[in-house]
């Protein structure tokens, strides 16, 4: 193995570890890896930023721009109202909303499909008293499954098609992925819709309230003069009151010392973590009280939960710096965090993707702030100004899909759609560009030269040689089974685009070593990269679902492993049936 090959593999391994740890912003890791690759001599200076001009990246940007227009139309709200009036069974609601997410995901990115259908699904769940934990996870998984069906369903499909085009001169057609993706998606949606009712049978404690799902939140609350907490040691708070104290503040100063020696006094402020319903009960009993919002008695006052989306400007910010809320008189009163790292006071907490904010203030002010910060409200309790319902954007998008399916390059087809939407005033390109999920785009563009170095340095050929020792390369079925397994093993820990970038050159070399056509191997890469059901951090959809649904890490393992096994077997069967 040459120095370039060894250094590339070490670089990729380091980046995959950093991606999976989720401690650093993905765009920072990607750019650092891109520059490190040039420093190691893996590609010349004139190829460092070629990924930003890649047709794959351009197509992803165009799809994201179009999704912004389609999401504002709120086309499915009226359909949900009619569906709820029919009083369907829980299974029909779960399977129906999940199927809707899967269908939308065929034509746009997974996160967009999840975000569009989430309010509809939560509204139906609230109206029909369906536990939220039975709705959110299937919705996330369905969006991932739907992305397997078409060329534009997920960046991974575009990447493997681009790899095939560079290797053979012709990429995949628009619905080539459907031969495997469609039956797997249908079976997967039905399976998870059936299983969640048995995995999460417990009803929400207050079906009419959107905040009814018990999850752990971090708050800062004051100890009133009549509180039973007075005189209690911090070490006893967990056993007696069900909360975990993180800091005790007295007269704006921290009270330091061992937990078993720190005693709570009247007027103290407690920074604590616990179930959201626990703090509601403590407030009712006047044990811990939140400071009253000045607008609390106004008719426009609202309390709203919202989730931090991947494209949100709040990612990485601390609560004290959220001028988008403070300037409008909106208070952040609680925070549900996927991995709490509590240092300092409540205002010092740093936001991550999937965190859920509890906001108090004017309904109008909250709506404006959420729109500006790209956060998603979890209930339609704030006024939203939807675009006038028009079929024109959907018709234009359908024309773009048809043109792409007919053979026109997707980047050209959807560029035409973006242009016409802008000319008809459905899309403000300047504003829409500012609202894009740039971290994902930067990561995708930065990883492309690193992926290409897998082929140019010979690292992919070397890895393919190692794999040929594990499986007989003369048998293509064994080869695609291994490639599919590798993709599925990686995608729970890193995003699916990275999996596709890393494995595409390896799959091409593996097919070349066995003297087989590479189509089946690349379809296996794309399919495996989308079958991400085991962890909450492999895909942003699962990260969002964990916070919104109040799931534990083990819940993904319990729900995901039968789905993963079933989808692996089905994908392998249809790969052999249609591509070998």
């Amino acid at each position: 193995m040459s120095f370039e090959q060894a250094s590339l593999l070490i670089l990729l391994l380091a980046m995959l570890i950093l991606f999976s740890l989720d401690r650093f912003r993905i765009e920072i890791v990607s750019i650092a890896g891109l520059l490190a690759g040039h420093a190691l001599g893996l590609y010349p200076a004139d190829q460092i930023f070629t990924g930003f001009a890649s047709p794959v990246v351009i197509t992803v940007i165009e799809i994201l721009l179009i999704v912004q227009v389609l999401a504002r139309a709120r086309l499915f709200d009226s359909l949900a109202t009619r569906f709820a009036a029919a009083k369907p069974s829980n299974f029909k609601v779960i399977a129906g909303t999940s199927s809707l997410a899967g269908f939308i995901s065929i034509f746009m990115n997974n996160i967009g499909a999840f975000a569009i259908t989430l309010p509809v699904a939560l509204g139906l769940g609230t109206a029909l008293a369906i536990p939220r934990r039975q709705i959110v996870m299937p919705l996330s998984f369905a969006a991932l499954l739907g992305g397997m069906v078409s060329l534009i369903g997920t960046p991974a499909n575009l990447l493997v098609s681009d790899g095939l085009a560079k290797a053979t001169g012709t990429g995949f057609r628009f619905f080539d992925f459907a031969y495997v993706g469609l039956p797997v998606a249908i079976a997967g949606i039905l399976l998870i819709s059936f299983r969640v009712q048995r995995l999460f049978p417990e009803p929400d404690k207050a079906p009419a309230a959107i905040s009814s799902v018990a999850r752990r939140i971090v708050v800062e609350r004051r100890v009133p003069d009549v509180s039973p907490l007075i005189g209690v040691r911090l070490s006893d708070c967990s056993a007696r009151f069900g909360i975990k104290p993180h800091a005790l503040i007295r007269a704006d100063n921290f009270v330091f010392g061992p937990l078993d020696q720190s005693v709570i006094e009247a007027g103290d402020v407690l920074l604590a973590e616990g179930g959201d319903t626990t703090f509601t009960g403590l407030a009712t009993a006047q044990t811990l009280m939140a400071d009253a919002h000045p607008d609390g008695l106004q008719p426009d006052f609202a309390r709203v939960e919202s989730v931090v989306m991947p494209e949100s400007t709040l990612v990485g910010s601390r609560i004290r710096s959220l001028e988008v809320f403070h300037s409008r008189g909106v208070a952040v009163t609680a925070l549900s965090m996927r991995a709490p790292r509590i240092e300092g006071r409540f205002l010092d907490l740093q936001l991550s993707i999937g965190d859920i904010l509890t906001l108090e203030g004017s309904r109008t002010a909250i709506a404006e702030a959420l729109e500006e910060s790209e956060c998603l409200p979890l209930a339609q309790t704030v006024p939203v100004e939807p675009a006038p319902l028009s079929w024109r954007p959907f018709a234009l998008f359908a024309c773009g899909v048809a043109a792409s399916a007919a053979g026109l390059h997707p980047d050209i087809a959807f560029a035409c759609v973006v242009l016409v939407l802008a000319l008809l005033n459905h899309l403000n390109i300047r504003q829409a560009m500012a609202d894009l999920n740039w971290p994902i785009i930067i990561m995708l563009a930065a990883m492309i030269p690193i992926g290409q170095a897998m082929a140019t340095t010979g690292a992919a050929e070397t890895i393919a040689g190692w794999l040929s020792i594990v499986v007989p390369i003369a048998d293509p079925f064994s080869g695609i089974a291994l490639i599919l397994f590798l993709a599925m093993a990686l995608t729970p820990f890193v995003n699916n685009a990275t999996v596709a970038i890393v494995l595409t050159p390896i799959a091409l070399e593996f097919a070349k070593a066995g003297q087989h056509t590479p189509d089946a191997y690349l379809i296996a890469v794309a399919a495996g990269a989308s079958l991400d059901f085991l962890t909450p951090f492999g895909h942003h959809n699962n990260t969002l679902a964990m916070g919104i649904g109040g799931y534990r890490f083990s819940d993904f393992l319990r729900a995901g492993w039968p789905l993963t096994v079933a989808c692996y077997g089905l994908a392998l069967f249809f790969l052999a049936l249609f591509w070998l």
Side-chain angles (χ1 to χ4, degrees):
M1 179 181 292
S2 67
F3 170 79
E4 288 80 8
Q5 294 173 357
S7 60
L8 174 60
L9 294 180
I10 293 173
L11 174 63
L12 276 173
L13 180 61
M15 293 181 70
L16 293 178
I17 292 174
L18 291 175
F19 281 139
S20 64
L21 290 176
D22 199 23
R23 290 293 183 89
F24 305 95
R25 295 178 67 96
I26 59 173
E27 69 272 26
I28 294 176
V29 174
S30 302
I31 293 175
L34 179 65
L35 297 176
H38 170 64
L40 293 170
L42 302 179
Y43 34 80
D46 60 355
Q47 295 183 12
I48 295 179
F49 299 110
T50 54
F52 289 89
S54 167
V56 173
V57 176
I58 300 300
T59 303
V60 170
I61 292 175
E62 291 164 352
I63 294 294
L64 292 176
L65 291 174
I66 297 170
V67 166
Q68 292 185 37
V69 178
L70 302 183
R72 288 198 301 269
R74 309 186 65 78
L75 174 67
F76 304 104
D77 286 3
S78 60
L79 297 178
T81 303
R82 297 176 185 175
F83 192 46
K87 302 295 183 181
S89 65
N90 286 16
F91 175 79
K92 289 182 179 178
V93 172
I94 297 168
T97 54
S98 299
S99 298
L100 178 62
F103 175 76
I104 297 173
S105 188
I106 295 174
F107 305 104
M108 62 181 64
N109 69 310
N110 305 141
I111 297 174
F114 181 67
I116 287 175
T117 52
L118 180 64
V120 175
L122 291 179
L124 281 171
T126 300
L128 301 173
I130 302 173
R132 194 196 301 187
R133 284 158 61 86
Q134 293 184 12
I135 292 178
V136 179
M137 185 181 288
L139 209 65
S140 173
F141 290 175
L144 298 178
L145 287 164
M148 299 172 60
V149 178
S150 74
L151 178 65
I152 63 172
T154 176
N157 295 359
L158 286 165
L159 288 164
V160 299
S161 180
D162 185 62
L164 180 65
K166 291 176 179 177
T168 66
T170 305
F172 289 110
R173 294 173 298 176
F174 194 86
F175 284 115
D176 276 349
F177 298 89
Y179 295 106
V180 174
L182 184 59
V184 171
I186 293 173
I189 289 172
L190 292 176
L191 176 59
I192 190 61
S193 299
F194 177 79
R195 276 189 56 78
V196 288
Q197 296 180 83
R198 287 151 180 79
L199 288 174
F200 312 115
E202 64 280 2
D204 294 343
K205 295 183 179 179
I210 193 65
S211 61
S212 58
V213 175
R215 59 169 168 267
R216 296 191 69 78
I217 60 173
V218 179
V219 300
E220 205 170 80
R221 297 287 187 263
R222 189 170 300 278
V223 180
D225 294 338
V226 295
S227 173
L229 273 170
I230 297 173
V232 175
R233 294 183 177 87
L234 290 182
S235 57
D236 296 332
C237 286
S238 179
R240 294 181 57 180
F241 298 94
I243 58 175
K244 178 181 179 181
H246 287 282
L248 183 65
I249 299 98
R250 183 173 300 152
D252 288 331
N253 294 311
F254 286 96
V255 176
F256 295 102
L259 294 182
D260 58 352
Q261 296 180 14
S262 299
V263 179
I264 300 172
E265 299 180 2
D268 287 351
V269 174
L270 192 64
L271 176 65
E273 178 185 354
D276 53 358
T277 53
T278 299
F279 285 108
T280 301
L282 292 175
T284 302
Q286 293 189 325
T287 303
L288 278 175
M289 304 295 293
D291 293 332
H293 193 281
D295 296 332
L297 299 178
Q298 299 298 319
D300 193 36
F301 177 79
R303 181 178 291 109
V304 175
E305 291 183 340
S306 64
V307 62
V308 179
M309 299 295 286
E311 66 272 18
S312 175
T313 56
L314 306 186
V315 175
S317 300
R318 299 189 184 277
I319 293 177
R320 69 171 64 254
S321 66
L322 303 183
E323 285 302 314
V324 65
F325 297 127
H326 303 327
S327 62
R328 293 178 168 89
V330 176
V332 181
T333 60
L335 178 63
S336 176
M337 310 175 71
R338 179 164 60 94
R341 293 192 295 272
I342 300 175
E343 300 172 355
R345 299 194 60 170
F346 179 77
L347 293 178
D348 298 317
L349 296 177
Q350 192 172 21
L351 302 181
S352 301
I353 296 170
D355 288 351
I356 295 178
L357 303 167
T358 302
L359 307 173
E360 293 184 357
S362 163
R363 291 178 182 270
T364 303
I366 291 175
E368 293 174 352
L370 292 180
E371 182 177 359
E372 181 177 331
S373 60
E374 292 293 315
C375 289
L376 181 69
L378 297 186
Q380 298 305 323
T381 57
V382 295
V384 181
E385 293 294 336
L389 183 57
S390 171
W391 287 99
R392 189 183 295 166
F394 293 92
L396 291 172
F397 182 54
C399 290
V401 171
S404 180
L408 186 64
H409 287 287
D411 53 331
I412 299 175
F414 294 111
C416 295
V417 176
V418 170
L419 176 61
V420 177
L421 288 174
L423 290 175
L424 296 177
N425 293 323
H426 290 292
L427 176 67
N428 183 326
I429 294 182
R430 179 180 298 180
Q431 179 180 346
M433 290 292 287
D435 294 338
L436 285 179
N437 187 357
W438 284 107
I440 294 295
I441 295 170
I442 292 172
M443 181 277 297
L444 181 60
M447 287 298 296
I448 286 176
I450 300 176
Q452 292 173 345
M454 288 286 292
T456 57
T457 62
E461 184 177 0
T462 300
I463 295 175
W466 294 341
L467 294 177
S468 65
I469 301 174
V470 179
V471 299
I473 61 174
D475 179 14
F477 183 83
S478 300
I480 63 170
L482 178 60
I483 292 295
L484 180 63
F485 175 80
L486 291 175
M488 292 179 63
L490 282 176
T491 198
F493 305 100
V494 294
N495 59 80
N496 60 359
T498 300
V499 172
I501 289 171
V502 172
L503 289 184
T504 291
I506 296 174
L508 288 170
E509 288 295 334
F510 203 70
K512 181 180 177 182
Q515 297 182 342
H516 307 136
T517 57
D519 304 55
Y521 292 85
L522 294 178
I523 292 288
V525 171
S530 290
L531 299 177
D532 181 4
F533 314 123
L534 295 177
T535 69
F537 46 74
H539 194 280
H540 284 151
N541 274 15
N542 292 350
T543 303
L544 296 171
M546 185 179 188
I548 296 168
Y551 300 106
R552 298 185 300 270
F553 184 94
S554 59
D555 290 333
F556 283 86
L557 290 175
R558 289 195 301 145
W561 77 260
L563 187 61
T564 300
V565 172
C567 288
Y568 178 82
L570 284 173
L572 199 57
F573 172 78
F574 287 107
L575 275 165
L577 181 63
F578 291 110
W579 291 100
L580 290 183

